[in-house]
Structures are given as structure tokens and as C-alpha cells.
Amino acid sequence: MAENCSHNCSTCSSECSSRDFKFHLNPKSSVKKVIGVVSGKGGVGKSLVTALLASKMAKKGYRCAVLDADITGPSIPTSFGVLGESVLCNEEGLIFPETTASGIQLMSMNLLLPNATDPVVWRGSMVNSFVKKFWEEVIWDNVDFMFVDMPPGTGDVPLTVFQSLPLDGIVIVSSPQQLVRVIVEKAVKMAAKMNIPIIGLIENMSYVQCPDCNKIIKIFGESNVEKIAADYHIPLLAKIPMAQEINRAVDEGEIESLDADFMEIASSLIEKL
């Protein structure tokens, strides 16, 4: 990949692997780095991690964006307090992403639905077509870091994203339960097959801290995430606690208000991509 690549192949003469991707960024867009947020199963907090990473990087002064590739289960707009049916199009039919309070650009299926609770009952080909639309037909304005919130597992949409978007790396999200090894192994093996770099591993719901005595309580028992990270030579980027302030911020659409100091290692590694 050429130095300072914008992933806008239509204006580039360099011969590099980026030119083989199936989806092509619109000439009016600019996205410098693309990070996928993945998990081997659902319910581990992938969307939370995506929102926290985007917010943390924005606080560091970078222009950030979130492409919500979880088309049938979009939750990103809720975390940022963005209402549905809020995106606009220009005369060419290109879409302007919604912008959050701190300037993060968002595109999600829930921004196109009349009601956030309306189900998206589509087959895989239709779902994939909207991932393509969000990449090619949205005008992404000078984005330094785009975070792609992917649906869980190793199915159709994650495969489409791995094959079709110029991912610079992925962050794997897990939880402390004993099945975490299976979760991580699935994601690691898929990334290896697709030749996608793994930035690191983040454990969500890691512990609860007592508000009175500050004692750490491990609801799910002892985690073996450090051993898993070591076995696969993956950096452990963060352990996210189960905390009322995080839950409140998500429910009230104020994810950007969190300091999230526990994401410092993750954000520092992403800066170096």
C-alpha cells in the first residue's frame, strides 16, 4: 500500500493490494485508516467497543467515522443520541453521514428507518448491498480513522467486509466466560485466512467495582484472557468494566461524554497504524 494512502483508488496510480478490493470509495470521499471491530459471537459488546474507540480517537483530535455494518441489528446511533431518518442526499443521490456532537461521522441502517424498532428482514445479498452502499455512496469527509461495527460471527457480512473493504486491522471483542477461547479462535482464524492484521483483543464485562469499598468483583469468575492473548501473540488492549456510568451513557446517547481511560492502550496502538 502506498504511503499516505487515502483508499481512493480512482485518483491513484500506485500498484498495490488496495486496488483489488471489490468496493471502491467514492471520489468525493477520503478515508485514511479502516479498523474492523469483530467478535466470534453476539452479545459481547462489539458496538460498545466501536463507539468507545471512535469517541476516544476523536478526543485525541482525529477525524473519526463509524460505518455500522450490522445492518439487521444496528445500535450505534442510539449510543451517540442520533435519531432515525436523519441523513440527507445530494442531487447525485450520494448520502451525507450524520455527525455526532464531537464530529464523528455515522452511517447506520437505523438512520434510514422511520422507526428504530422497525425490523430489517432481508436475505444476505440485500444486507451486503447496503454495506456496499455505505462505503461507496456515503460522502465520508476527510476521515482519519473509520471503525466498522460488524455483525457477530464469521458469516456473510463479516466475509464481505474482509474481502471488500481495505481493512488496516481488526479489534477482537470478547467476554470473560470460559467459552471466550472459542470466540477468539474463530475470529483469529478468520483474520488469518483473509490476511487481515489483528490489532489486539478487548475484554468487555470484565469486572464490577464496588462503589463503596472499590473492591473488584469478577461476576463471571477468573478470566483467562491474558493467557489467550499470549497464546495467539495478540496484545490485550483493554478490560472494560461493567459500570453504571457506561450503561447510562449508552442508554442516554452520551457515549462521547465518557473519559474511558481504560481505552488508552487501544487508542495508542491504533494511532500507530
Side-chain angles (χ1 to χ4, degrees):
M1 184 178 296
E3 186 177 358
N4 300 321
C5 177
S6 67
H7 300 310
N8 186 355
C9 297
S10 64
T11 61
C12 178
S13 60
S14 298
E15 293 296 329
C16 64
S17 59
S18 292
R19 304 184 70 84
D20 297 329
F21 288 104
K22 295 179 181 179
F23 298 170
H24 301 289
L25 199 65
N26 190 279
K28 294 186 177 181
S29 295
S30 175
V31 178
K32 295 175 184 174
K33 298 291 182 179
V34 184
I35 298 98
V37 182
V38 309
S39 66
K41 67 179 291 295
V44 297
K46 190 167 33 54
S47 295
L48 171 64
V49 169
T50 302
L52 286 171
L53 286 173
S55 299
K56 186 71 173 179
M57 296 302 290
K59 283 183 173 68
K60 290 190 170 190
Y62 295 102
R63 293 178 63 86
C64 296
V66 176
L67 190 160
D68 191 353
D70 195 353
I71 303 297
T72 60
S75 58
I76 286 293
T78 302
S79 301
F80 289 95
V82 177
L83 301 176
E85 278 198 309
S86 58
V87 296
L88 300 174
C89 295
N90 66 8
E91 66 279 358
E92 301 173 43
L94 297 176
I95 304 167
F96 294 99
E98 184 56 82
T99 304
T100 71
S102 68
I104 298 170
Q105 299 170 51
L106 301 183
M107 192 61 231
S108 172
M109 194 65 208
N110 260 10
L111 299 178
L112 302 176
L113 298 175
N115 301 294
T117 55
D118 288 348
V120 178
V121 188
W122 291 344
R123 296 189 184 277
S125 59
M126 189 66 174
V127 172
N128 286 337
S129 73
F130 265 78
V131 176
K132 184 175 188 287
K133 180 183 289 289
F134 288 171
W135 177 254
E136 295 188 343
E137 298 180 29
V138 173
I139 301 176
W140 299 105
D141 183 16
N142 194 27
V143 173
D144 293 315
F145 293 98
M146 171 181 283
F147 297 90
V148 181
D149 183 16
M150 288 201 265
T154 55
D156 205 17
V157 172
L159 180 60
T160 294
V161 172
F162 275 32
Q163 289 182 327
S164 304
L165 298 189
L167 291 176
D168 292 281
I170 62 168
V171 172
I172 300 173
V173 184
S174 67
S175 57
Q177 294 95 327
Q178 289 304 307
L179 54 74
V180 67
R181 177 171 288 274
V182 177
I183 297 171
V184 174
E185 284 183 353
K186 286 180 180 292
V188 168
K189 290 178 180 179
M190 183 175 186
K193 284 184 178 181
M194 305 304 296
N195 198 28
I196 304 295
I198 299 173
I199 299 169
L201 174 64
I202 291 179
E203 182 180 78
N204 188 34
M205 300 179 284
S206 188
Y207 60 89
V208 172
Q209 187 168 17
C210 176
D212 296 322
C213 66
N214 292 325
K215 179 180 179 181
I216 299 296
I217 304 168
K218 298 180 179 179
I219 300 294
F220 298 107
E222 290 295 329
S223 168
N224 61 352
V225 67
E226 288 93 348
K227 185 177 187 307
I228 295 170
D231 287 347
Y232 286 98
H233 308 289
I234 303 170
L236 179 57
L237 304 179
K239 286 187 171 186
I240 303 176
M242 299 172 69
Q244 288 184 352
E245 60 267 24
I246 297 176
N247 185 65
R248 178 202 57 78
V250 172
D251 287 347
E252 296 181 7
E254 298 178 356
I255 193 74
E256 293 160 291
S257 69
L258 291 173
D259 290 332
D261 292 337
F262 46 79
M263 301 299 284
E264 182 59 37
I265 295 175
S267 63
S268 296
L269 278 182
I270 288 170
E271 278 186 292
K272 296 175 182 178
L273 290 177

